[in-house]
Amino acid sequence: MKQADKRPVSLKETLSSTRRSLSLWHTMIPGLLLCKLLQIALSALTPYVAAFFSARLLNELAGGRDPLLLRQWALLALGTALGMALLSALVSVALSLLSRKWSLHRRMGAALAANLLRPAILALLPGIWPLYLGQICQSVSFAIYYAAIVDYFTQAADDRIRSFSISMG
């Protein structure tokens, strides 16, 4: 082994190679890094959210013991846990779709499931914020459906139609 091979890697070289690898990843699969960062953030925040609501419930139990406030904190805790679980599931679905691990039928099923979730949210939850959550579900459903249809078209279409569509689109 040569003496030059034993030198330590500088911080500048490490950051340069990391930036290069991240840009290569981004050019190959554009949304993968964002989805992965979101998944990591959700998994890191989940215990803190549970601890926050547990502390609120314990504070109310030790203090006033108002049943309405206890119910409100418990429902907020359950709703937040459900929302974070749904968001985590949607991010993992997006990661799977970005990785192209799913077949066309599974992607269409995921689009249908996300679209069917919207009326359930609107029917079961009161207030105005379910409208926003339902709109997010509809957007996710459309994105999954659109990605599946584009992949199916590229597999099934005649070469002449495909090249014409690509040049027009």
Side-chain angles (χ1 to χ4, degrees), residues 107-123:
R107 283 188 263 175
M108 294 301 277
L112 179 65
N115 203 21
L116 290 177
L117 189 60
R118 182 175 181 237
I121 289 171
L122 294 175

Side-chain angles (χ1 to χ4, degrees), residues 6 8 24 49 53 56 62 71 74 80 89 98 100 109 113 117 120 126 130 135 139 147 151 155 160 163:
K6 290 186 178 183
L24 286 173
V49 170
F53 283 113
R56 295 287 106 201
R71 187 184 76 184
T80 305
L98 287 172
R100 307 260 185 225
L117 189 60
Q135 191 66 30
S139 298
D151 282 348
Q155 292 171 5
R160 293 171 292 178
S163 64

